Amino acid sequence: MDDRTIDWEQQRAWVEIDRSALAHNVRQIRSLLAPDTQIMAVIKADGYGHGAIEVARTIIANGVEWLAVATVTEGIELRTAGIFAPIMILGAVNSYVEIEAIVKWQLQPTLCTIDQAILLSKTIVNLESPLPLSVHLKLDTGMSRLGADWQQAAAFYDEVSNLPYLQIGSLYSHLATADDIDPTVMELQIDRFDRAQAAIVAAGYQLPPRHLANSAGIVVTDRVHYQLVRPGLSLYGLYPAPHLKAAIDLQPVMSVRARVSQVKVITTGTGVSYGYRYIADRDMPIAIVEIGYADGIPRRLSDRMQVAIRGKLVPQIGTITMDRIVLDISQIPDLQVGEIVTILGRDGAVEITADDWANELGTISWEILCGFKHRLPRVNRN
Ligand SMILES: *Cc1c(COP(=O)(O)O)cnc(C)c1O
């Protein structure tokens, strides 16, 4: 779907992508890096809910060299949209993965075990016209998720380099606590990552590019920058943790807006929405707005969220339903059908952020952003 053709004037609700904010965030991240450090932008989960294709086009136009996605399908989506930048797959190669598609689309997978490397190499050898493939070796330095044990790095490296058709494109690991005020674990991970590199050099190899930093790592210390950095959240303009706000100036890229579909007055004692979670304690004007939990508003925000209209915060009342929400519009009794309601983003002097929702729900902004899936069209603004 080419979102650029959408006529937002005729939408019930939509996600707005601010391309200038995205470009600004790329520049901000770049300003923290040495001139020869490259950016591998993490655009998994449909670009954290923003729309991976448009995000990719914008950031490549603004100098980003590499892309990373979680799955093969996400990589193919970018390739079929005509995006030719190098794409690393963060997920590992296993027998359930479409290895032939990886090769066909020249996606660059992650390898975490020698079994994965053998499987990949054998599959390529058996192709009609085998081609060399760039692969990325992942080490577990303390996250205890994907990756080869860092203490086995040299042996792993040696085994992969001896397999036909595999070219080692990079060596990487992932930080577990970079957004923590206490740097102890991160420093341990840096130390292990550096020792793994030294072991590979001692085994007689020249190191490929290395990378370790997520958004928090990038901001916290240039010791984790190496040759590539892997920002995700910061590209989209959110801070991994409040204490990192002073270090970089980011602008949120996503806004979510929806339309008023009906306005009415209810009388004292009237129940609102499923389960009558809210009962009017006075006569009040209410508005129905065309966005619900199927669009990405967490239902647990029922009776706990605010939206913005005409530059004012307005409370949502009752249970959030699949396709719509109800507002108490006592402050704006003359609200009109078709008016635009800001669900997330800025409206005049007020701003509602993914962090506001995350704090209310005890989760993180990453999860809020990824919640905005395909039903809402993306409207791209410059
Ligand atoms: C998701 C992810 C990132 C990006 O993390 P942010 O905290 O969003 O910047 C980087 N590296 C890996 C391996 C990831 O899975």
Side-chain angles (χ1 to χ4, degrees):
M1 181 170 71
D2 188 342
D3 296 326
R4 290 173 302 178
T5 59
I6 280 168
D7 179 4
W8 66 273
E9 302 276 353
Q10 302 207 319
Q11 299 298 322
R12 64 183 262 284
W14 62 93
V15 168
E16 281 174 23
I17 302 303
D18 182 343
R19 285 186 285 218
S20 330
L22 195 50
H24 167 88
N25 298 335
V26 170
R27 283 194 298 276
Q28 287 293 306
I29 293 165
R30 183 79 73 190
S31 73
L32 300 176
L33 307 177
D36 52 354
T37 300
Q38 298 192 333
I39 296 177
M40 175 185 280
V42 180
I43 58 169
K44 60 194 177 192
D46 200 24
Y48 289 40
H50 293 65
I53 294 171
E54 196 56 37
V55 167
R57 286 180 181 144
T58 305
I59 60 183
I60 289 168
N62 285 279
V64 163
E65 295 91 350
W66 284 79
L67 304 172
V69 293
T71 69
V72 176
T73 310
E74 289 176 345
I76 294 173
E77 190 193 352
L78 295 171
R79 285 282 185 257
T80 51
I83 290 160
F84 299 111
I87 300 174
M88 187 179 88
I89 309 285
L90 294 158
V93 172
N94 277 309
S95 54
Y96 54 81
V97 168
E98 315 92 306
I99 295 178
E100 297 188 7
I102 293 178
V103 180
K104 173 176 169 202
W105 294 102
Q106 286 292 296
L107 304 171
Q108 305 188 13
T110 290
L111 297 178
C112 306
T113 68
I114 188 62
D115 287 348
Q116 294 169 355
I118 292 169
L119 172 68
L120 179 62
S121 177
K122 272 194 183 149
T123 310
I124 299 177
V125 168
N126 290 329
L127 292 177
E128 235 170 74
S129 41
L131 283 174
L133 187 70
S134 197
V135 297
H136 301 271
L137 305 195
K138 184 162 195 192
L139 302 179
D140 181 1
T141 56
M143 173 79 176
S144 303
R145 209 176 55 175
L146 282 183
D149 182 352
W150 65 277
Q151 288 166 292
Q152 309 297 322
F156 182 43
Y157 199 96
D158 187 53
E159 288 174 305
V160 176
S161 20
N162 288 318
L163 288 168
Y165 291 107
L166 303 188
Q167 294 173 345
I168 300 176
S170 81
L171 179 74
Y172 78 103
S173 187
H174 192 41
L175 296 169
T177 66
D179 55 354
D180 206 322
I181 294 177
D182 179 353
T184 312
V185 173
M186 185 179 69
E187 276 165 10
L188 178 69
Q189 287 196 263
I190 297 172
D191 181 56
R192 288 171 171 174
F193 192 49
D194 288 344
R195 283 161 67 187
Q197 291 169 42
I200 292 167
V201 170
Y205 292 99
Q206 259 204 341
L207 289 171
R210 281 89 64 207
H211 41 114
L212 183 58
N214 54 6
S215 294
I218 293 168
V219 173
V220 169
T221 171
D222 58 10
R223 286 175 60 211
V224 295
H225 290 179
Y226 299 96
Q227 289 71 43
L228 282 164
V229 294
R230 300 190 309 268
L233 189 74
S234 52
L235 279 175
Y236 308 103
L238 285 127
Y239 293 87
H243 71 277
L244 301 177
K245 285 194 176 173
I248 186 168
D249 168 47
L250 300 172
Q251 297 174 358
V253 172
M254 178 190 287
S255 304
V256 180
R257 307 204 204 267
R259 300 272 188 184
V260 174
S261 54
Q262 195 180 349
V263 174
K264 60 176 80 169
V265 175
I266 57 172
T267 52
T268 311
T270 305
V272 172
S273 188
Y274 292 123
Y276 282 6
R277 183 192 300 256
Y278 184 91
I279 310 246
D281 59 2
R282 62 205 143 82
D283 295 355
M284 63 163 71
I286 63 171
I288 321 305
V289 178
E290 293 299 297
I291 188 167
Y293 64 76
D295 298 294
I297 302 182
R299 186 175 171 279
R300 286 202 304 127
L301 281 176
S302 292
D303 233 9
R304 295 159 71 182
M305 66 178 279
Q306 294 184 304
V307 301
I309 306 174
R310 300 187 194 169
K312 289 193 193 123
L313 289 174
V314 172
Q316 177 273 331
I317 56 174
T319 301
I320 292 170
T321 70
M322 188 181 286
D323 312 308
R324 47 197 64 91
I325 58 176
V326 181
L327 309 177
D328 165 3
I329 52 164
S330 302
Q331 300 173 74
I332 314 177
D334 65 335
L335 189 66
Q336 302 296 309
V337 167
E339 272 194 61
I340 295 175
V341 176
T342 297
I343 306 295
L344 270 188
R346 181 168 284 287
D347 174 10
V350 299
E351 185 174 28
I352 302 160
T353 67
D355 280 321
D356 294 336
W357 288 12
N359 292 338
E360 182 65 35
L361 295 174
T363 183
I364 54 176
S365 58
W366 288 257
E367 187 182 13
I368 300 296
L369 296 178
C370 292
F372 289 96
K373 305 225 172 68
H374 284 289
R375 186 159 90 175
L376 292 184
R378 268 51 180 171
V379 176
N380 302 301
R381 298 193 184 288
N382 284 318

